[in-house]
Structure formats: structure tokens, C-alpha cells
Amino acid sequence: MRKISVGLCLLLIVSCTNNQSSQQGTTPQKTAEKVAKTGKELFATNCAVCHGNEGKGDGLGATYLFPKPRDFTKGMYKVRTTSTGELPTDSDIFNAISHGMPGSAMPSFADLPESDRREIISYLKTLAVVQTEDGEKVNLFELRGNVQPIQVGTATSATAENIAKGKAVYQKMECLKCHGELGKGDGASAPELKDEWGYPIPPNNFTRGIYKGGATAKDVYLRFSTGMNGTPMPSFAEQLTNEERWNLVHYVQSLQMTGRQPIAQQANGQLITAYKKNVLTLSTNPQDSIWNNVKGVTFPLMHLWQKKEATDFVKVKTIHNGDTIAFLLEWEDLKVNANMLRPQDYPDAAAIMFALTTPSGHFTMGTKEGPTNIWQWRFDRQMDLAKYVDIETIYPGMVADDYQLETTHYPKKVEKAGHLPITSAPLHNPTYLSGWGAGNPMSNPVRTTPVEDLNAEGFGTLTAQPQQGQNVQGRGIWNSGGWKVVFIRKMKSEDANDRTFSSGSEIPLAFAIWDGENGDRDGQKAVTYWQKLAVER
Amino acid sequence: MRFVEKYAGAISGSLMTSAIVGGLVLVAGFACGKSASDQPSAVTNNKGLEQKAQDTPVMMGGSGGTVSGTVKFDGTPPAPKKITPDKDQSACAHEIVSDSLLVDADSKGIKWAFVEVVNSGNFADDGKTSYALDQKGCTFLPHILVVPPKAAVELHNSDGVLHNVKSSSMLNSAFNEGIPANSKVSKKFMMPEKIKVSCDVHSWMGAYIIVTKNAGFAVTDEKGNFEIKDVPVGKYKIKVWHEVLGTQEKDIEVKDNEKTDASFQLKEK
């Protein structure tokens, strides 16, 4: 891969990953060559990037994640079937690894062979070592690892009557103190809740239908019957009968907004097909009728920086005509964010990441051995192409604040510097536009596309391709509370840093969405793990 | 013998073989020195149980002496921290003085410091003494509760609002229990550990449950004074611990019917 020189880290896709291909993608010969890895090695490859080399929750990615990755040395696990404060069973850990934790940055590692996941569990358990009062080191799983799941009694049915009974339990147990009257996570104590490290931790918003430990009725039952270790969420097992607990489950689930699909687990290796269309050209128009009958795939998103409101799903459609490939990303976003002129402004954005190698590198924007090609669309760039957006766009009367009788700025003269469209900037001398003069792609005034073509091989390596390599086009339209963004590019490329697309092999790809309204930027975003793209013949 | 093997029995509930300590009543205590059994067998049984060899006291017989002293603040005493609860006003007192660092302005004595004489006899659950940690007026009472291993502690909520009691224990099973108005739960603590308990609903609430096997202990009063009576004659390590100011230890020798001074000065870290 081209030597990466500019350390621009605009987007940090942060998460744990494996660097193995999906099992389908591995040739039988390769499987035979593969030597069984120890739990420690598997942990180093798949988990250490976030959880740290020693499992202390202090990996390179931890800085960019909220909530923070687990510190396995403390033996504190949020999602369990065991009583409050107890250690998890092996199957609890297995489920967390296999399903991921929806709403958080913990992906599903369902693509790892089961035996590998079991190896990782054995290794994780060796990490939970604490010191006694007398300085002796003790493994917590040896000390009190013999734990059993709690009893889950027979469920009541989710009738209106039982939901009403559940509501009474919700009020009696004062769930609303943290989760709020309507379960939006906005109770009186919510702003001051802290996790085990003292970071603020927002109570779950039940209306979104996202639960870290899974969204089935039994999962919800278990969460408030076992508590969530390391968080303020206590257990109510001692306080409630089985019937009361089931009714509470029904009430909590009834708070979910209509039309919401609960997220059962994080997406991993889901297949999306680029359908062949017999058309001469593909356009960047997101409203092109060609998309109408294309089957899309909806991916639940993982949140690298948890916020009360967030983009929870992205729907992706993809087509090609043998020459060009197009992707259409659609997601809900009630407020449009068009610029980043003020420090507190962040634009809406979306990105697609492709692996350049098989097997793919780390999901965290790749590795040195497994680099990635990333296409990022940003709405502020699209706006700049049409009309250069400046401070005055946000503060239209700002001149009047300082010069009340100022007349030279009104009426606006379009030829005046500062009011020129960005494309007229070449009229200026790059000697005086030093960022541009130095070749900084961020300062480039001759951009022709709102999509930036980038490469990365891990954290801090994101680099824009030079001007002549910028070959991805795109366009977004925000309408009726949602975004539709199209990315298109020729399927073939001479550039070794560009992903090429051909039928016959599965291409690892992942998606990212930034919601400017919630302050998403850089690593604070919603992403998917590696999925698979198949190109129809 | 390894710690895990030693305590495996304790966890599964088997009986501890050491001698039973005579009637220890500890309800809401500070400055609670108490009589420890001076039967040598108790110590022998305990020997090496949790102590490293060099900590093992040299027992000399005799009826025992008293260890007393003052734990003082080294520096300018900080003013008591006052908290005005911003929620549940009806249940929570209007102004709460934080117990986490209370220094007497005149004497510089530190309240709520825990002092223990290592291996000074066996503190065990007698099955009769009841231990309770209450939540009243949105504070924990007492701020420090000292219990022997295997003791059951009742966690009460005497307030008319929800509290949750969250323990930070590692060696003992941790817990986080929602305790609605005027109810209680019971918890067992198996192993020596200093366990912070807190309530997330009322972020200012905090207390410690100290599980110790040492019969010779005390919690300092508001002047920082403590007194530990009936410590068997011998050479010991004495340790002081404070939740904010940390630990210190020194060597002492307890002589028959004599008072041994063991005062400490703790500095802000």
C-alpha cells in the first residue's frame, strides 16, 4: 500500500474485529494449514484493540468508545443470567461474544469458529485476578465461579391488563427515577448516573427497542432480575414475584415506538447483493426510479459513542451495470446538519468501507496487512460545491453588529472574495492559500465531488487519495426526516488503493453514519461490522 | 495453602473450625474495641490463614493489654463537606454532612478511620449478633460497619423512597439491589475485604462494610480517638485505614495490663 503520509483521522471506525475471513470465504486448503490458536492469541487478534493486551479495557480503541470496553481483570460483566454481582456463566460470555451488545460498540463475533470463541472464554476467565487483603493473588472464577443461572418462571401473557399491572410495578419500583415516565431514559436521576469508572452512563431508552443483552422478553426479564454489573442498574429479584416481573417486561416492551424492530443482535457477515441493471449509465440521483424495485438490506448500527438519540438503522441498496456500481444508503434523521462552520457544528455524513484484501483486515479501519478503501460523503462538502458556505450563512447580519452603518457589504457583491463559489478559488494564488499550496486535501478548493476517496490501515492512518485519485461520485438528499445518499464509481480501477468490484467473490464491506445533530464526528458515529457484498453476474 | 482452597469451604458453607469469639455486639459503631478471645488455639488455627509469615504475631501469654491512640490529619483540616440534596426532599434531610472526610477543626482528629491489630484474635460470627446497615434520611447508618467473615448483614431502607445498594466487592460476591421504600434485603459476606456501598439514585450516599477476621479493631470517634481493649500480649502490626486518606501501619508490642499508644498522622494524598 502507498505510504501513508498525512495523519488525518477524520473517521475512526472503532471496534473489535477478527482478521479472518468468514468461514465460507476460506479455502479448504487454508483451513488445513490453519493451526489452532490459543485463547490468548485469539484475544490479541480479535479483542485487544479495544479491551487491551492485558484485558484491562484499555486498548487503543477504548479512548474513542463510550461506554468503555470491559475490564476483564475485574470479573465484572454486565449481561448475565446469574444473580446481581455474580460472575457470568460460560454461556453468558459465549452469548455476548456471539451476539455482540446491541447499541454499543461490541460487535458480534459469530464469524469466529465456535471452538475459537470457547478458547477466548477460557482465556478471559484467567484474567480476573484480584488481590486479597493480605496481598495474595486470587482468580475470581476459581474463588466464586461456580454460579448458576437464576430461575425464570412461567411467563404471563402480554394482555392489556397485565401491561397495566406492569405499569404499576414500574411506578412502585420507581423505575421512572432513571428511565423516566415514558421510558425515554430521562428520569430525574439520569443526568448524574455514573458507571464503574465514574463516566456518565445514560439509562436505557426503552422506546428504541435496543437492549445490550438482547431484546426478547426473557432477556428483559433477566436484566432487571440480575442487574447490570458495573452500572447503576440494580436487581429487583428480591423485591418482585415472577408474575410481577413478567408484567413489568410487558409494560417495558409496550413503550417501544410503533414500527420499531427490536435489535436482537449485532449484524455480522450479512449478505447484500449488487443487482445487475441493464442500463447504460447510473446516476447519482438518490430519487432515481431505478432504485424503486431494488431489494435492500437493513443493518442495525452499533454506536461507538452512546447518546440518547442516535441513528439505529441504515438501509442499503446496491446495483451495477457491468461498468459502474452504485450504493444507496437510507437512514432516518429528523434534523439536517449542513455545515461545520462553528466549533459546535457537525455535518451529517455517511461512509462505506471496503477491505482491499481477503481476508479483511481489522474492522477498525483495517490493519497494515489488511488495508481498507473508504468512501465518505459529507453534506457540507456537497453544499460547498453548489454555493460556498461561509460564516455569514449562519450569521447573516453579523456585519451590522460591528459596523451599524456599513453599506459596502450590502447588497452582496457576488464577485467579492468570500462570496465566490468554491470553484472560483483557483483564481487565487495557492501561495497565499497555504493549506491548498501545501497539498492538504482538506483545503482543496477544486473538489468536484462530495465524496472523499480515502485509505486507512488502522487508527490514525486515514489518508485522502490525491486529487487525481478522487474517483467516487455521490449525492445526498434530505427529505421528510430522512437521508438518501448515493455513492457511485467505476467497478474497475487501475489504482491499487481502490477496491475493485467483480462477480464471483464476496467483498467485505461496512457502513458508518454520522448524525451532526447529536454531535457525531470522527470516531463518534454509528457503524456496522464487516458485512458481505456479492456482485450479481 | 492457597487462598482459594482455604475459602472454598467457607463459600460452600462448611463450618469454620476456629474458636468462637465471645459476645461481640456491634451495631452502629465507632470506637468499638471489644474483648477478643485469647485462646491460643484460635490464633493457631488462624495462623497462616490469611497472614504472611512475617505478620504472624509472637504470642506471649498473659491477660492482655489495651491499644489506644488518635488518628490525626496532617495539614490544615478541610471544612466538612455539606450536601444539599436536590431530589426526594421529603425523604432526604435538607442538609447532609458528608462522612467521607470528617476532621475535627481543633484536635485535627479524623472520624471514621478504621484501626485493626493484625492477628489479634479471631473475629467470627457467633450466630447471635445481628448486623444491619440502614438508609435513613438518604444517608447510610452507620458510615462504617465492621463484620466478621460469614456474617449476614441486613440492608434496610427506612426511607419512603427507592434506594439501590451497590457494593464494590470483588472477593465477596458483589451486588446491586433495588430496595424500595421501607423494605430490606440480607447479604452474606464471606471474606475479609473493605467494601464500598453506594446508592446511584442519591449519588452522595456512601458507606463501607468492613469484613475482618481480626478481633482487635476500632473505628475512630469525632476526635479521632480509638481504644482496643483486651489485646493478647504480643508483638503485632497495627493498621489504620481511611477511605480518602489511605493506609498506614506500624509495629507495636502489647504488654500485660498496659496501655500501648499507637497514634497515626494521615495526609491527603
Side-chain angles (χ1 to χ4, degrees):
Chain A
M1 191 186 164
R2 170 176 51 95
K3 185 84 185 160
I4 279 164
S5 54
V6 187
L8 286 175
C9 20
L10 263 182
L11 65 160
L12 291 165
I13 294 182
V14 189
S15 187
C16 307
T17 181
N18 63 24
N19 68 352
Q20 301 185 17
S21 69
S22 60
Q23 288 315 288
Q24 291 97 313
T26 315
T27 62
Q29 196 192 347
K30 270 189 180 164
T31 315
E33 280 170 12
K34 209 184 100 185
V35 186
K37 285 185 173 176
T38 65
K40 192 177 179 175
E41 288 164 342
L42 288 161
F43 182 87
T45 320
N46 297 293
C47 320
V49 64
C50 294
H51 292 285
N53 289 330
E54 285 153 35
K56 288 182 183 162
D58 58 354
L60 196 53
T63 318
Y64 309 110
L65 297 178
F66 172 73
K68 298 295 168 196
R70 283 289 86 191
D71 173 354
F72 296 116
T73 63
K74 298 266 163 60
M76 221 184 263
Y77 289 74
K78 280 182 188 166
V79 175
R80 294 160 294 102
T81 55
T82 59
S83 292
T84 170
E86 291 292 0
L87 294 163
T89 64
D90 280 12
S91 111
D92 290 342
I93 308 178
F94 185 79
N95 287 340
I97 296 174
S98 306
H99 301 159
M101 296 174 75
S104 82
M106 173 68 189
S108 150
F109 288 95
D111 55 339
L112 278 183
E114 189 182 322
S115 55
D116 283 6
R117 281 176 266 163
R118 300 255 176 233
E119 283 292 325
I120 291 175
I121 295 171
S122 306
Y123 176 66
L124 284 184
K125 289 164 76 174
T126 65
L127 297 173
V129 175
V130 296
Q131 240 177 16
T132 67
E133 293 271 292
D134 305 315
E136 199 180 336
K137 291 211 159 101
V138 185
N139 181 289
L140 291 177
F141 282 90
E142 279 183 53
L143 185 65
R144 51 184 182 87
N146 185 19
V147 281
Q148 294 302 319
I150 63 156
Q151 290 278 323
V152 178
T154 319
T156 58
S157 48
T159 58
E161 194 195 340
N162 284 341
I163 290 174
K165 281 183 187 166
K167 186 177 182 176
V169 175
Y170 189 85
Q171 279 162 346
K172 189 178 136 211
M173 291 296 118
E174 299 185 63
C175 305
L176 47 94
K177 228 163 208 164
C178 297
H179 293 284
E181 289 273 353
L182 300 171
K184 289 184 177 171
D186 55 357
S189 290
E192 60 195 55
L193 297 180
K194 299 274 194 316
D195 68 9
E196 62 188 286
W197 300 286
Y199 293 108
I201 185 163
N204 199 12
N205 175 348
F206 301 130
T207 66
R208 283 164 67 190
I210 299 173
Y211 301 88
K212 290 205 168 60
T216 67
K218 190 185 167 191
D219 289 329
V220 178
Y221 180 105
L222 282 166
R223 289 302 80 71
F224 63 76
S225 299
T226 67
M228 297 182 80
N229 297 352
T231 81
M233 179 64 198
S235 154
F236 289 90
E238 304 246 350
Q239 311 297 335
L240 298 172
T241 65
N242 176 60
E243 199 182 313
E244 285 174 315
R245 283 190 254 171
W246 277 112
N247 291 342
L248 181 56
V249 170
H250 300 321
Y251 176 66
V252 165
Q253 291 196 316
S254 77
L255 296 169
Q256 195 173 303
M257 357 175 189
T258 44
R260 263 295 164 123
Q261 267 316 101
I263 299 178
Q265 62 178 74
Q266 307 272 45
N268 176 332
Q270 217 168 319
L271 187 71
I272 178 163
T273 307
Y275 296 101
K276 177 98 186 261
K277 294 278 176 188
N278 290 316
V279 288
L280 276 178
T281 54
L282 294 175
S283 85
T284 57
N285 176 11
Q287 291 172 319
D288 194 322
S289 60
I290 197 167
W291 293 107
N292 290 356
N293 297 316
V294 177
K295 208 176 138 217
V297 178
T298 301
F299 297 97
L301 293 166
M302 317 196 285
H303 302 105
L304 305 192
W305 203 269
Q306 191 181 312
K307 288 160 189 172
K308 249 174 68 189
E309 302 291 333
T311 314
D312 294 333
F313 298 93
V314 60
K315 186 176 182 182
V316 184
K317 292 176 178 180
T318 166
I319 53 174
H320 74 96
N321 64 358
D323 170 68
T324 305
I325 189 163
F327 294 86
L328 174 68
L329 271 57
E330 295 177 68
W331 70 97
E332 243 180 57
D333 187 352
L334 295 179
K335 280 189 179 163
V336 65
N337 298 80
N339 65 62
M340 48 184 211
L341 291 172
R342 299 175 299 175
Q344 68 270 38
D345 291 335
Y346 300 101
D348 293 331
I352 310 176
M353 174 172 75
F354 302 98
L356 286 172
T357 55
T358 312
S360 56
H362 259 276
F363 171 63
T364 51
M365 296 200 304
T367 44
K368 211 167 174 58
E369 303 73 33
T372 57
N373 181 199
I374 296 167
W375 304 349
Q376 192 202 29
W377 168 89
R378 250 170 51 187
F379 190 41
D380 61 323
R381 295 209 185 104
Q382 184 173 313
M383 294 285 281
D384 273 353
L385 291 179
K387 178 184 168 291
Y388 191 62
V389 177
D390 207 344
I391 301 286
E392 223 185 275
T393 318
I394 294 185
Y395 301 109
M398 68 182 205
V399 176
D401 289 346
D402 286 341
Y403 307 101
Q404 293 186 8
L405 301 173
E406 174 65 78
T407 53
T408 50
H409 284 73
Y410 300 103
K412 235 179 193 178
K413 296 186 185 74
V414 285
E415 69 275 14
K416 206 172 157 63
H419 301 310
L420 297 173
I422 193 166
T423 43
S424 63
L427 301 174
H428 298 293
N429 187 335
T431 310
Y432 303 109
L433 291 175
S434 50
W436 177 30
N440 183 349
M442 297 276 286
S443 311
N444 182 4
V446 292
R447 228 183 252 135
T448 54
T449 165
V451 181
E452 197 162 30
D453 193 1
L454 305 132
N455 290 100
E457 47 186 31
F459 297 132
T461 64
L462 188 73
T463 308
Q465 293 190 4
Q467 184 52 37
Q468 62 273 20
Q470 293 292 332
N471 52 5
V472 188
Q473 292 293 326
R475 182 162 182 78
I477 285 182
W478 182 81
N479 189 21
S480 306
W483 273 108
K484 285 183 180 205
V485 176
V486 165
F487 297 78
I488 66 169
R489 212 204 69 194
K490 297 276 184 202
M491 294 170 80
K492 292 199 179 98
S493 172
E494 296 301 311
D495 189 346
N497 294 319
D498 279 350
R499 176 74 230 187
T500 53
F501 302 90
S502 57
S503 55
S505 66
E506 281 168 352
I507 298 164
L509 84 172
F511 305 95
I513 301 292
W514 288 260
D515 180 6
E517 186 63 23
N518 281 322
D520 282 359
R521 73 275 194 182
D522 308 341
Q524 295 191 18
K525 64 190 161 192
V527 303
T528 73
Y529 187 73
W530 286 124
Q531 313 300 331
K532 287 183 280 192
L533 173 71
V535 180
E536 193 183 38
R537 242 174 247 280
Chain B
M1 198 192 225
R2 294 181 59 227
F3 187 90
V4 172
E5 291 156 24
K6 278 166 347 209
Y7 276 101
I11 294 162
S12 61
S14 77
L15 282 172
M16 211 154 143
T17 50
S18 47
I20 290 168
V21 179
L24 306 176
V25 180
L26 178 82
V27 182
F30 38 85
C32 15
K34 74 213 75 53
S35 62
S37 162
D38 55 359
Q39 296 173 38
S41 65
V43 175
T44 315
N45 274 348
N46 246 352
K47 198 156 93 178
L49 191 68
E50 292 119 339
Q51 268 347 96
K52 290 177 204 150
Q54 68 267 28
D55 292 340
T56 310
V58 183
M59 307 297 292
M60 292 180 177
S63 65
T66 300
V67 181
S68 67
T70 313
V71 182
K72 282 191 176 170
F73 189 82
D74 186 357
T76 314
K81 199 178 153 200
K82 288 174 183 165
I83 300 142
T84 309
D86 56 354
K87 59 172 73 72
D88 292 330
Q89 299 280 356
S90 58
C92 305
H94 284 291
E95 189 177 79
I96 291 165
V97 179
S98 167
D99 285 316
S100 71
L101 180 56
L102 269 184
V103 185
D104 183 58
D106 302 326
S107 67
K108 293 191 179 185
I110 302 165
K111 197 181 177 183
W112 300 123
F114 173 72
V115 187
E116 67 179 333
V117 182
V118 176
N119 281 5
S120 53
N122 187 28
F123 185 28
D125 188 28
D126 59 5
K128 291 176 212 147
T129 314
S130 60
Y131 300 94
L133 184 67
D134 197 5
Q135 299 175 92
K136 205 170 183 180
C138 302
T139 48
F140 283 107
L141 294 172
H143 182 63
I144 290 180
L145 176 67
V146 188
V147 304
K150 295 203 282 174
V153 177
E154 282 194 340
L155 306 165
H156 290 263
N157 177 2
S158 302
D159 284 332
V161 293
L162 169 85
H163 288 299
N164 71 314
V165 183
K166 182 162 83 177
S167 85
S168 63
S169 47
M170 300 280 281
L171 295 164
N172 292 284
S173 291
F175 56 85
N176 183 0
E177 296 278 358
I179 309 181
N182 303 308
S183 43
K184 63 176 182 186
V185 295
S186 181
K187 289 283 163 188
K188 260 198 158 183
F189 297 90
M190 306 310 278
M191 272 153 273
E193 189 175 11
K194 295 182 181 72
I195 302 161
K196 180 164 188 183
V197 291
S198 53
C199 167
D200 293 288
V201 186
H202 308 99
S203 53
W204 62 85
M205 292 176 67
Y208 279 84
I209 295 172
I210 296 177
V211 188
T212 182
K213 52 163 186 55
N214 296 315
F217 69 81
V219 179
T220 55
D221 64 14
E222 39 279 273
K223 300 275 180 205
N225 295 323
F226 70 91
E227 189 176 69
I228 305 169
K229 283 183 180 156
D230 302 320
V231 179
V233 169
K235 286 179 177 170
Y236 297 99
K237 268 198 186 347
I238 181 166
K239 286 184 181 173
V240 62
W241 171 90
H242 184 270
E243 61 185 274
V244 176
L245 305 172
T247 13
Q248 255 182 38
E249 61 174 57
K250 55 170 76 171
D251 296 314
I252 50 163
E253 186 171 355
V254 177
K255 290 179 181 156
D256 208 11
N257 289 319
E258 275 185 36
K259 228 177 188 183
T260 308
D261 179 76
S263 287
F264 291 93
Q265 291 245 326
L266 296 180
K267 238 186 209 170
E268 208 143 13
K269 278 183 277 190

